[in-house]
């Protein structure tokens, strides 16, 4: 393989995030011809997303079909489309098919969508409808995370081996089929690089630049969550992931080893530079309660009820004795609450 094919692209040199260069390799592109959808055509067709509105941070409205990222013909045909075809085939097999995918494939698929949403937000900030309260372009730590993450995303184009680490924490949960829920949902937190997507009864949530540390920290909870869950239980699990990502206090550094003649892939190492400080900032139940409040909006659960016991915020994953709570019990507890019907339309 030519060494040029193993050369990583760095869009941070000159801040090249616009539509005039391929997001994967930097090749000059011609907008709008040279582009790929952020959410693949198979996703938009399967879940009827094309005309569905999506609100950006500046309060402007676009549609899923208009979310695109620049991509040259070579990267589109050789890298992006084969990845989407692989995930589409797995998704057609349902939850088991998605769980059978290797973590790198899932990471790259989630990462491509995350990148597309983030770049859309960054470009929108150049001429916003309303200036966001916390502009992404002014978040130095977010940019450092983004730069580190983009190095690992290059594995979509450049054959890459991650030496003894995975770039992300990825969780796949099963939504109980007996509970009413939308077949497709998506949400993210761009500053902490968390991305979540629901495909029928499979819910995939990932922190994209933590070297799997959050998954390791949540291994016990994740193991106990390997069962059909009520949507409110999934929302609670996601609140834990989102809040853990908010507390995550380090940014991994990544280093590609020098490529030698005859090499057919890049080997990437990682290092967490500041080993003297804590990996996570201290857990604060009041902060976690705010994460629960946000995730439980469809069930209209007030913060006062969530934090009725400040030492033990409300939980649907576990009962008061700390045992995993059955789906039927959660449904019973929520049966008397007014539900936001709009989430089911």
């Amino acid at each position: 393989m030519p060494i040029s094919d193993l050369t990583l692209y760095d869009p941070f040199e000159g801040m090249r995030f616009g539509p005039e260069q391929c997001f994967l390799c930097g090749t000059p592109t011609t907008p709008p011809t040279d582009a790929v959808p952020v959410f693949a055509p198979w996703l938009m067709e399967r879940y009827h997303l094309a005309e569905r509105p999506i609100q950006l941070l500046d309060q402007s409205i676009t549609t899923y079909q208009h979310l695109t990222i620049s991509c040259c013909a070579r990267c589109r045909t050789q890298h992006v489309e084969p990845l989407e075809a692989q995930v589409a085939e797995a998704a057609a097999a349902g939850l088991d098919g998605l769980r059978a995918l290797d973590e790198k494939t899932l990471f790259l698929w989630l990462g491509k969508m995350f990148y597309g949403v983030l770049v859309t937000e960054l470009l929108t900030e150049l001429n916003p409808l309303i200036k966001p309260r916390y502009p992404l372009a002014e978040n130095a730590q977010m940019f450092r995370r983004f730069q580190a993450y983009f190095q690992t995303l290059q594995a979509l184009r450049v054959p890459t081996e991650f030496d003894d680490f995975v770039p992300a924490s990825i969780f796949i949960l099963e939504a109980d089929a007996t509970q009413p829920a939308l077949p497709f949902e998506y949400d993210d937190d761009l500053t902490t690089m968390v991305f979540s997507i629901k495909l029928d009864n499979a819910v995939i949530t990932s922190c994209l630049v933590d070297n799997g540390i959050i998954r390791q920290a949540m291994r016990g909870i994740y193991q106990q969550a390997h069962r059909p869950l009520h949507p409110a239980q999934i929302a609670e699990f996601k609140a834990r992931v989102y809040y853990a990502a908010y507390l995550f206090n380090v940014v991994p550094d990544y280093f590609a080893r020098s490529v030698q003649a005859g090499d057919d892939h890049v080997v990437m190492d990682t290092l967490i530079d500041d080993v003297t400080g804590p990996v996570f900032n201290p857990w604060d139940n009041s902060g976690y309660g705010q994460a629960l409040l946000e995730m439980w909006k469809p069930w209209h659960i007030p913060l006062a009820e969530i934090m009725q016991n400040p030492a033990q915020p409300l939980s649907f994953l576990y009962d008061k004795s700390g045992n995993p709570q059955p789906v039927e019990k959660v449904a019973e507890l929520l049966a008397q609450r007014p539900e936001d019907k709009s989430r089911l339309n």
Side-chain angles (χ1 to χ4, degrees), residues 27-261:
T27 297
T29 54
T30 302
T33 305
D34 295 328
V36 293
V38 172
F39 294 87
W42 70 268
L43 267 179
M44 290 193 286
E45 180 179 350
R46 180 171 175 175
Y47 296 104
H48 311 290
L49 302 178
E51 300 291 340
R52 185 183 294 187
I54 183 170
Q55 187 177 61
L56 303 179
L57 292 177
D58 73 337
Q59 308 302 308
S60 62
I61 303 293
T62 186
T63 60
Y64 278 82
Q65 66 182 343
H66 288 120
L67 283 177
T68 62
I69 43 175
S70 58
C71 186
C72 69
R74 184 170 186 262
C75 285
R76 174 175 56 80
T77 58
Q78 295 190 15
H79 306 304
V80 175
E81 289 178 350
L83 172 70
E84 291 290 357
Q86 184 180 1
V87 177
E89 182 180 2
L95 180 72
D96 291 340
L98 289 168
R99 281 180 168 165
L101 284 174
D102 65 273
E103 282 194 322
K104 182 192 286 186
T105 298
L106 274 175
F107 163 71
L108 295 175
W109 181 65
L110 296 170
K112 171 248 179 180
M113 291 184 286
F114 175 88
Y115 177 93
V117 173
L118 179 58
V119 167
T120 298
E121 296 283 11
L122 290 173
L123 293 177
T124 302
E125 283 186 3
L126 296 177
N127 187 26
L129 179 68
I130 299 173
K131 186 174 180 179
R133 183 177 179 184
Y134 302 109
L136 296 172
E138 298 176 10
N139 189 326
Q141 186 182 48
M142 186 279 292
F143 259 89
R144 189 181 166 208
R145 289 181 189 274
F146 184 32
Q147 188 169 18
Y149 146 81
F150 191 84
Q151 289 179 274
T152 59
L153 185 63
Q154 282 285 284
L156 176 52
R157 178 181 66 88
V158 179
T160 302
E161 174 191 335
F162 300 122
D163 189 51
D164 199 31
F165 76 97
V166 293
S169 290
I170 298 176
F171 305 91
I172 305 179
L173 302 177
E174 178 182 0
D176 189 282
T178 66
Q179 303 300 319
L182 288 169
F184 176 90
E185 293 182 76
Y186 139 73
D187 53 76
D188 59 38
D189 186 327
L190 299 180
T191 58
T192 58
M193 298 200 166
V194 178
F195 189 96
S196 182
I197 191 167
K198 180 179 187 292
L199 308 178
D200 299 310
N201 70 327
V203 181
I204 309 171
T205 301
S206 176
C207 180
L208 293 165
V209 64
D210 75 332
N211 284 1
I213 292 173
I214 291 175
R215 176 164 170 168
Q216 178 66 16
M218 292 182 58
R219 62 190 181 277
I221 297 171
Y222 186 40
Q223 184 177 10
Q224 292 170 343
H226 268 256
R227 56 193 173 96
L229 297 174
H230 188 281
Q233 293 177 305
I234 290 175
E236 178 180 336
F237 187 95
K238 286 170 57 176
R240 291 173 183 257
V241 176
Y242 276 64
Y243 187 58
Y246 172 76
L247 297 178
F248 192 61
N249 196 39
V250 296
V251 180
D253 289 316
Y254 301 103
F255 307 93
R257 298 180 191 175
S258 298
V259 176
Q260 307 299 322

